[in-house]
Amino acid sequence: MARRVRGQLLDALLESLPDACLGVDRSGRVRFVNHKALKLLAPDPRAEWVDQSIWDVLPTSDFLKLLGQTVKSSVDTAVEQVVLIPPQSLCLCQLSPVHNEENRLQGWVAYLRDMTPVQQIEKGIDELLRDVNQQLRTPITAIKGYVETLLEGAYQSPEVTKRFLQVINEETNRVTRLVMSLEEAANPNVKPADPIQLDLIPMLRRAANMFEGVAREKNLMLVCDLPERLPVVEVREDEIHKVVVNLLDNAVKCTGLKGHGQVKLHAEARRAGLEIHVSDTGVGIAEHELQKIFEKFYRVQDGPAAELGGTGLGLAVSQQITQEHGGQLEVRSEVAKGSTFTIRLPFKR
Ligand code: ATP
Ligand code: MG
């Protein structure tokens, strides 16, 4: 009776362990295995492994290889990262020999810790770093471009100097705001700034100004077709600025590869909301790519724009921001003719 109770307690203990765990005797017969181990290792987690030979039931995997090597070489304890096939998860595996009082080997105990959650965190950090990199790159490139143009002689015109310094000031503020939003992200209790009612024209002009230098360098015509005023919309200005800059950045990047072309920023009020169009006469996007370009890290792999730099995050971030504002981001495009991206923002939410 006491023995049975003891066995039940040990079973309960094995099941409550945070890791997958199994034990085999010297001949390779499975003596115990918890559900986490079956879920991780067995093709069918309802399978009965106890009393079966481990070599018969364990599917081919790095773990099987490690077990085989460890048993053969009779090393003390082996710790290794192994990939399980299926389900292709990365595990940290520890294999330890078990000895009796006479120090005779009785079998082996294996612990396997599923590293998938750790991998997911690492992937999230990678994505965040790419996103930060992408958001910092545009203002820093703009600041560098304006400073270089000033140093090359533009400073001799007080008018140009003032205009350039204004842009540099704006861009520096943007980097500061980004750093502040990273601090906010590190402290999730702080809420994002509330949206405010705004006429977007000054922000749109500022966004277009940022690309004057690079457009000139590429011999591109940058057209700003904006009315004096627009009806107000409720937005987080910084975020919509980021979307417009992303679209202009793409348009300028994908246009004029053969020397000339046009990028146009146009905004108008419609019945239900505002429409901001960024159009270009660039390389265009094939029909089957039109939805994919909004996916994170997706970049068109063939065609003339394939070699252009980028992380493939700009449109994913832009679409997310627009949707968070209750709007939509749409695209129309024709290969070798050009593309038009449209941001729709509702007047009332
Ligand atoms: P990032 O914006 O992160 O620096 P990216 O520009 O490559 O990198 P997205 O802005 O998400 O990423 O754009 C995804 C892809 O869509 C681009 O790599 C490009 O192939 C295609 N694309 C985007 N805008 C245009 C455009 N105006 N004309 C042609 N292709 C475009
Ligand atoms: Mg982009």
Side-chain angles (χ1 to χ4, degrees), residues 134 137 245-247 249-251 253-254 309-315 318:
Q134 196 245 341
R137 199 152 31 95
V245 168
N246 274 336
L247 297 183
D249 183 47
N250 284 348
K253 195 164 68 174
C254 300
T311 58
L313 273 171
L315 287 175
S318 301

Side-chain angles (χ1 to χ4, degrees), residues 90-103:
L90 184 73
C91 287
L92 190 66
C93 168
Q94 177 174 326
L95 271 171
S96 307
V98 180
H99 297 100
N100 67 4
E101 298 86 53
E102 286 100 48
N103 208 21

Side-chain angles (χ1 to χ4, degrees), residues 130 134 137-138 246-247 249-255 278 280 282-285 292-295 297-301 305-306 308-318 333 338-341:
R130 277 184 211 228
Q134 196 245 341
R137 199 152 31 95
T138 320
N246 274 336
L247 297 183
D249 183 47
N250 284 348
V252 168
K253 195 164 68 174
C254 300
T255 309
V278 176
D280 63 64
V283 295
I285 306 156
K292 294 191 212 153
I293 55 170
F294 293 97
E295 289 167 15
F297 304 116
Y298 188 82
R299 301 181 53 239
V300 175
Q301 291 307 322
L308 301 172
T311 58
L313 273 171
L315 287 175
V317 172
S318 301
S333 188
S339 315
T340 299
F341 284 82

Side-chain angles (χ1 to χ4, degrees), residues 1 18 54 60 71 73 75 81 98 112 125-126 133 162 182 198 211 214 219 224-225 246-247 264 270 281 289 305 308:
M1 181 70 176
I54 188 79
T60 311
V71 167
S73 62
V75 284
Q81 294 227 352
V98 180
L112 289 134
I125 294 172
D126 270 4
N133 170 42
K162 187 172 170 216
L182 282 176
L198 210 66
F211 292 89
V214 52
N219 209 7
C224 219
D225 178 14
N246 274 336
L247 297 183
K264 185 160 125 184
R270 310 287 289 201
T281 58
E289 305 272 14
L308 301 172

Side-chain angles (χ1 to χ4, degrees), residues 1-16 31-34 50:
M1 181 70 176
R3 224 181 144 82
R4 221 180 74 206
V5 173
R6 194 160 167 263
Q8 283 169 347
L9 287 173
L10 282 175
D11 280 350
L13 180 68
L14 280 176
E15 287 307 331
S16 66
R31 284 318 185 97
F32 63 82
V33 54
N34 67 3
V50 176

